[in-house]
């Protein structure tokens, strides 16, 4: 496979995953804000921080308001992290790699893009927001289902899967960092009490609330939530699950191409460092520090994969 095609597949999956993640975070911010008597500025500021565009937002708006935050995150064409911008890039990558995709995958991506354009022609009202967010998530799921159900399990599938897993791990780590650390009361140690709604939003942001409560009935405390989202490999959005699957996908590429590249060893080292620790060790050494290091390492792995497979040749 040409490196440029591999890169297109990798970034197609990253952008699709990112659009769904952003929609989920907007929903979490919306639900948190509804529980507050005040304006909800802190909640929306945390969502902007999680997505990684708060500073850019503040160059365009003096204050954080629900309407402006939603508009910036969903439909602002000047924001490269908005759902609109991300889905446009996903569609462009799908078009560039169309010969590597099944008809079902291409149509799912293209149909989702056309629907999104129609939905985001004008600012989304608070009353329409839940339906719009649900539609974004559903169309992301349709693409994922088409990939899982129609694509050969070859290098094309592996590069697509790797992109989604890299992006998903990044998003889960960001949710934990902002929700678990930034929103703690000033000076409070990790593990102190925080409003139950906020903890529920941590889980909801990662689509993990029901799974967590199945496994941990009546035990929604910070330590248990952090352990679930970091170390429980049964949870499809946990860091451990993402890296277990990454190792498997990279092993498939090793078999396909008959060689082992530096990104394979880096991924194995990161996975060993992640799963070889207990949640007590992580919290004792500093959850915030652990997450920031993970985000750097995850970005470094993504860059190494791109280098090893010459995505831009």
């Amino acid at each position: 496979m040409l490196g440029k095609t591999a890169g297109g597949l990798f970034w197609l999956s990253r952008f699709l995953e990112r659009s769904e993640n952003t929609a989920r975070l907007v929903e979490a911010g919306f639900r948190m804000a509804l529980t507050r008597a005040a304006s909800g500025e802190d909640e929306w500021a945390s969502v902007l921080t999680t997505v990684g565009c708060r500073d850019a937002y503040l160059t365009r708006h003096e204050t954080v308001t629900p309407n402006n935050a939603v508009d910036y995150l969903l439909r602002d064409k000047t924001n490269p992290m908005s759902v609109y911008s991300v889905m446009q890039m996903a569609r462009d990558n799908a078009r560039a790699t169309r010969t590597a995709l099944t008809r079902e995958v291409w149509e799912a991506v293209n149909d989702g893009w056309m629907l999104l354009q129609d939905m985001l022609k004008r600012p989304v009202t608070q009353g329409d927001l839940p339906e719009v967010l649900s539609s974004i998530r559903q169309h992301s799921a349709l693409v994922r289902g088409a990939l899982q159900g129609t694509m050969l399990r070859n290098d094309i599938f592996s590069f697509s899967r790797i992109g989604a897993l890299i992006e998903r791990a990044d998003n889960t780590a960001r949710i934990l960092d902002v929700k678990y650390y930034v929103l703690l009361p000033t000076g409070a140690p990790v593990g102190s009490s925080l409003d139950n709604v906020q903890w529920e939003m941590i889980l909801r942001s990662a689509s993990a609330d029901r799974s967590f409560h199945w496994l941990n009935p009546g035990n929604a405390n910070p330590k248990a939530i952090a352990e679930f989202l970091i170390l429980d490999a049964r949870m499809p959005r946990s860091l451990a699950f993402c890296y277990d699957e990454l190792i498997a996908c990279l092993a498939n590429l090793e078999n396909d191409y008959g060689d082992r590249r530096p990104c394979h060893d880096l991924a194995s080292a990161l996975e060993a460092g992640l799963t070889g620790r207990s949640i007590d060790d992580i919290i004792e050494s500093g959850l915030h520090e652990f997450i920031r290091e993970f985000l750097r390492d995850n970005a470094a792995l993504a860059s190494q994969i791109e280098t090893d497979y010459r995505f831009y040749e």
Side-chain angles (χ1 to χ4, degrees), residues 203-221:
L203 294 168
R204 190 180 293 275
S205 295
S207 294
D209 49 329
R210 182 161 298 182
S211 298
F212 176 85
H213 290 300
W214 278 338
L215 297 173
N216 302 274
N219 189 33
N221 63 75

PDB file of all heavy atoms in Angstrom, residues 203-221:
ATOM      1  N   LEU A 203     -18.205   9.641  33.379  1.00  0.00           N
ATOM      2  CA  LEU A 203     -18.551   8.360  32.769  1.00  0.00           C
ATOM      3  C   LEU A 203     -19.361   8.550  31.491  1.00  0.00           C
ATOM      4  O   LEU A 203     -19.131   7.879  30.481  1.00  0.00           O
ATOM      5  CB  LEU A 203     -19.333   7.509  33.767  1.00  0.00           C
ATOM      6  CG  LEU A 203     -18.548   7.061  34.996  1.00  0.00           C
ATOM      7  CD1 LEU A 203     -19.483   6.478  36.049  1.00  0.00           C
ATOM      8  CD2 LEU A 203     -17.483   6.049  34.619  1.00  0.00           C
ATOM      9  N   ARG A 204     -20.318   9.467  31.525  1.00  0.00           N
ATOM     10  CA  ARG A 204     -21.157   9.687  30.352  1.00  0.00           C
ATOM     11  C   ARG A 204     -20.325  10.203  29.174  1.00  0.00           C
ATOM     12  O   ARG A 204     -20.594   9.848  28.019  1.00  0.00           O
ATOM     13  CB  ARG A 204     -22.279  10.676  30.692  1.00  0.00           C
ATOM     14  CG  ARG A 204     -23.343  10.783  29.606  1.00  0.00           C
ATOM     15  CD  ARG A 204     -24.410  11.788  30.027  1.00  0.00           C
ATOM     16  NE  ARG A 204     -25.172  11.325  31.157  1.00  0.00           N
ATOM     17  CZ  ARG A 204     -26.237  10.530  31.058  1.00  0.00           C
ATOM     18  NH1 ARG A 204     -26.644  10.109  29.882  1.00  0.00           N
ATOM     19  NH2 ARG A 204     -26.893  10.157  32.134  1.00  0.00           N
ATOM     20  N   SER A 205     -19.336  11.032  29.460  1.00  0.00           N
ATOM     21  CA  SER A 205     -18.490  11.563  28.389  1.00  0.00           C
ATOM     22  C   SER A 205     -17.770  10.459  27.636  1.00  0.00           C
ATOM     23  O   SER A 205     -17.441  10.611  26.457  1.00  0.00           O
ATOM     24  CB  SER A 205     -17.467  12.546  28.963  1.00  0.00           C
ATOM     25  OG  SER A 205     -18.093  13.679  29.505  1.00  0.00           O
ATOM     26  N   ALA A 206     -17.501   9.362  28.321  1.00  0.00           N
ATOM     27  CA  ALA A 206     -16.811   8.239  27.693  1.00  0.00           C
ATOM     28  C   ALA A 206     -17.767   7.108  27.342  1.00  0.00           C
ATOM     29  O   ALA A 206     -17.321   5.994  27.028  1.00  0.00           O
ATOM     30  CB  ALA A 206     -15.721   7.717  28.625  1.00  0.00           C
ATOM     31  N   SER A 207     -19.068   7.381  27.369  1.00  0.00           N
ATOM     32  CA  SER A 207     -20.083   6.349  27.115  1.00  0.00           C
ATOM     33  C   SER A 207     -19.851   5.128  28.001  1.00  0.00           C
ATOM     34  O   SER A 207     -19.938   3.986  27.553  1.00  0.00           O
ATOM     35  CB  SER A 207     -20.081   5.927  25.640  1.00  0.00           C
ATOM     36  OG  SER A 207     -20.498   6.989  24.826  1.00  0.00           O
ATOM     37  N   ALA A 208     -19.534   5.381  29.259  1.00  0.00           N
ATOM     38  CA  ALA A 208     -19.146   4.297  30.161  1.00  0.00           C
ATOM     39  C   ALA A 208     -20.014   4.214  31.405  1.00  0.00           C
ATOM     40  O   ALA A 208     -19.733   3.409  32.287  1.00  0.00           O
ATOM     41  CB  ALA A 208     -17.684   4.483  30.579  1.00  0.00           C
ATOM     42  N   ASP A 209     -21.069   5.032  31.495  1.00  0.00           N
ATOM     43  CA  ASP A 209     -21.831   5.091  32.736  1.00  0.00           C
ATOM     44  C   ASP A 209     -22.530   3.774  33.053  1.00  0.00           C
ATOM     45  O   ASP A 209     -22.450   3.266  34.169  1.00  0.00           O
ATOM     46  CB  ASP A 209     -22.823   6.265  32.714  1.00  0.00           C
ATOM     47  CG  ASP A 209     -23.652   6.315  31.446  1.00  0.00           C
ATOM     48  OD1 ASP A 209     -23.163   5.902  30.387  1.00  0.00           O
ATOM     49  OD2 ASP A 209     -24.802   6.786  31.509  1.00  0.00           O
ATOM     50  N   ARG A 210     -23.209   3.195  32.074  1.00  0.00           N
ATOM     51  CA  ARG A 210     -23.943   1.960  32.357  1.00  0.00           C
ATOM     52  C   ARG A 210     -23.004   0.800  32.633  1.00  0.00           C
ATOM     53  O   ARG A 210     -23.224   0.014  33.560  1.00  0.00           O
ATOM     54  CB  ARG A 210     -24.882   1.627  31.199  1.00  0.00           C
ATOM     55  CG  ARG A 210     -25.722   0.382  31.435  1.00  0.00           C
ATOM     56  CD  ARG A 210     -26.928   0.322  30.538  1.00  0.00           C
ATOM     57  NE  ARG A 210     -27.840   1.431  30.760  1.00  0.00           N
ATOM     58  CZ  ARG A 210     -29.000   1.578  30.119  1.00  0.00           C
ATOM     59  NH1 ARG A 210     -29.376   0.673  29.228  1.00  0.00           N
ATOM     60  NH2 ARG A 210     -29.775   2.617  30.359  1.00  0.00           N
ATOM     61  N   SER A 211     -21.948   0.688  31.840  1.00  0.00           N
ATOM     62  CA  SER A 211     -20.987  -0.398  32.061  1.00  0.00           C
ATOM     63  C   SER A 211     -20.359  -0.298  33.442  1.00  0.00           C
ATOM     64  O   SER A 211     -20.180  -1.312  34.133  1.00  0.00           O
ATOM     65  CB  SER A 211     -19.891  -0.351  30.993  1.00  0.00           C
ATOM     66  OG  SER A 211     -20.420  -0.538  29.702  1.00  0.00           O
ATOM     67  N   PHE A 212     -20.005   0.917  33.834  1.00  0.00           N
ATOM     68  CA  PHE A 212     -19.385   1.108  35.144  1.00  0.00           C
ATOM     69  C   PHE A 212     -20.328   0.670  36.254  1.00  0.00           C
ATOM     70  O   PHE A 212     -19.928  -0.037  37.189  1.00  0.00           O
ATOM     71  CB  PHE A 212     -18.988   2.573  35.340  1.00  0.00           C
ATOM     72  CG  PHE A 212     -18.426   2.858  36.703  1.00  0.00           C
ATOM     73  CD1 PHE A 212     -17.086   2.644  36.960  1.00  0.00           C
ATOM     74  CD2 PHE A 212     -19.242   3.322  37.726  1.00  0.00           C
ATOM     75  CE1 PHE A 212     -16.554   2.888  38.230  1.00  0.00           C
ATOM     76  CE2 PHE A 212     -18.729   3.578  38.992  1.00  0.00           C
ATOM     77  CZ  PHE A 212     -17.379   3.356  39.239  1.00  0.00           C
ATOM     78  N   HIS A 213     -21.586   1.070  36.179  1.00  0.00           N
ATOM     79  CA  HIS A 213     -22.526   0.740  37.248  1.00  0.00           C
ATOM     80  C   HIS A 213     -22.890  -0.740  37.267  1.00  0.00           C
ATOM     81  O   HIS A 213     -23.247  -1.272  38.316  1.00  0.00           O
ATOM     82  CB  HIS A 213     -23.770   1.617  37.129  1.00  0.00           C
ATOM     83  CG  HIS A 213     -23.519   3.051  37.472  1.00  0.00           C
ATOM     84  ND1 HIS A 213     -23.057   3.447  38.710  1.00  0.00           N
ATOM     85  CD2 HIS A 213     -23.633   4.191  36.729  1.00  0.00           C
ATOM     86  CE1 HIS A 213     -22.914   4.767  38.732  1.00  0.00           C
ATOM     87  NE2 HIS A 213     -23.249   5.237  37.535  1.00  0.00           N
ATOM     88  N   TRP A 214     -22.802  -1.403  36.119  1.00  0.00           N
ATOM     89  CA  TRP A 214     -22.981  -2.858  36.118  1.00  0.00           C
ATOM     90  C   TRP A 214     -21.893  -3.529  36.953  1.00  0.00           C
ATOM     91  O   TRP A 214     -22.153  -4.460  37.706  1.00  0.00           O
ATOM     92  CB  TRP A 214     -22.913  -3.400  34.687  1.00  0.00           C
ATOM     93  CG  TRP A 214     -24.189  -3.283  33.932  1.00  0.00           C
ATOM     94  CD1 TRP A 214     -25.456  -3.151  34.444  1.00  0.00           C
ATOM     95  CD2 TRP A 214     -24.341  -3.281  32.505  1.00  0.00           C
ATOM     96  NE1 TRP A 214     -26.376  -3.056  33.421  1.00  0.00           N
ATOM     97  CE2 TRP A 214     -25.726  -3.145  32.228  1.00  0.00           C
ATOM     98  CE3 TRP A 214     -23.453  -3.387  31.446  1.00  0.00           C
ATOM     99  CZ2 TRP A 214     -26.233  -3.111  30.931  1.00  0.00           C
ATOM    100  CZ3 TRP A 214     -23.951  -3.355  30.160  1.00  0.00           C
ATOM    101  CH2 TRP A 214     -25.327  -3.218  29.910  1.00  0.00           C
ATOM    102  N   LEU A 215     -20.667  -3.043  36.785  1.00  0.00           N
ATOM    103  CA  LEU A 215     -19.523  -3.663  37.456  1.00  0.00           C
ATOM    104  C   LEU A 215     -19.278  -3.109  38.855  1.00  0.00           C
ATOM    105  O   LEU A 215     -18.663  -3.779  39.689  1.00  0.00           O
ATOM    106  CB  LEU A 215     -18.257  -3.464  36.612  1.00  0.00           C
ATOM    107  CG  LEU A 215     -18.263  -4.111  35.231  1.00  0.00           C
ATOM    108  CD1 LEU A 215     -17.021  -3.699  34.447  1.00  0.00           C
ATOM    109  CD2 LEU A 215     -18.318  -5.628  35.348  1.00  0.00           C
ATOM    110  N   ASN A 216     -19.740  -1.882  39.112  1.00  0.00           N
ATOM    111  CA  ASN A 216     -19.473  -1.224  40.392  1.00  0.00           C
ATOM    112  C   ASN A 216     -20.755  -0.637  40.976  1.00  0.00           C
ATOM    113  O   ASN A 216     -20.865   0.590  41.144  1.00  0.00           O
ATOM    114  CB  ASN A 216     -18.433  -0.107  40.210  1.00  0.00           C
ATOM    115  CG  ASN A 216     -17.134  -0.610  39.631  1.00  0.00           C
ATOM    116  OD1 ASN A 216     -16.261  -1.069  40.343  1.00  0.00           O
ATOM    117  ND2 ASN A 216     -17.000  -0.506  38.309  1.00  0.00           N
ATOM    118  N   PRO A 217     -21.733  -1.445  41.287  1.00  0.00           N
ATOM    119  CA  PRO A 217     -22.999  -0.902  41.823  1.00  0.00           C
ATOM    120  C   PRO A 217     -22.773  -0.162  43.135  1.00  0.00           C
ATOM    121  O   PRO A 217     -22.158  -0.693  44.059  1.00  0.00           O
ATOM    122  CB  PRO A 217     -23.864  -2.156  42.013  1.00  0.00           C
ATOM    123  CG  PRO A 217     -22.888  -3.291  42.126  1.00  0.00           C
ATOM    124  CD  PRO A 217     -21.745  -2.931  41.233  1.00  0.00           C
ATOM    125  N   GLY A 218     -23.228   1.079  43.180  1.00  0.00           N
ATOM    126  CA  GLY A 218     -23.132   1.876  44.400  1.00  0.00           C
ATOM    127  C   GLY A 218     -21.729   2.300  44.767  1.00  0.00           C
ATOM    128  O   GLY A 218     -21.473   2.654  45.925  1.00  0.00           O
ATOM    129  N   ASN A 219     -20.811   2.297  43.805  1.00  0.00           N
ATOM    130  CA  ASN A 219     -19.416   2.612  44.134  1.00  0.00           C
ATOM    131  C   ASN A 219     -18.827   3.625  43.161  1.00  0.00           C
ATOM    132  O   ASN A 219     -17.727   3.466  42.651  1.00  0.00           O
ATOM    133  CB  ASN A 219     -18.570   1.333  44.121  1.00  0.00           C
ATOM    134  CG  ASN A 219     -17.170   1.555  44.660  1.00  0.00           C
ATOM    135  OD1 ASN A 219     -16.960   2.371  45.543  1.00  0.00           O
ATOM    136  ND2 ASN A 219     -16.203   0.825  44.115  1.00  0.00           N
ATOM    137  N   ALA A 220     -19.577   4.702  42.890  1.00  0.00           N
ATOM    138  CA  ALA A 220     -19.125   5.717  41.927  1.00  0.00           C
ATOM    139  C   ALA A 220     -18.209   6.725  42.599  1.00  0.00           C
ATOM    140  O   ALA A 220     -18.533   7.897  42.749  1.00  0.00           O
ATOM    141  CB  ALA A 220     -20.319   6.413  41.293  1.00  0.00           C
ATOM    142  N   ASN A 221     -17.022   6.266  43.007  1.00  0.00           N
ATOM    143  CA  ASN A 221     -16.060   7.181  43.620  1.00  0.00           C
ATOM    144  C   ASN A 221     -14.932   7.470  42.633  1.00  0.00           C
ATOM    145  O   ASN A 221     -14.734   6.726  41.662  1.00  0.00           O
ATOM    146  CB  ASN A 221     -15.516   6.595  44.925  1.00  0.00           C
ATOM    147  CG  ASN A 221     -14.746   5.305  44.690  1.00  0.00           C
ATOM    148  OD1 ASN A 221     -13.612   5.316  44.205  1.00  0.00           O
ATOM    149  ND2 ASN A 221     -15.358   4.164  45.032  1.00  0.00           N
TER     150      ASN A 221
END
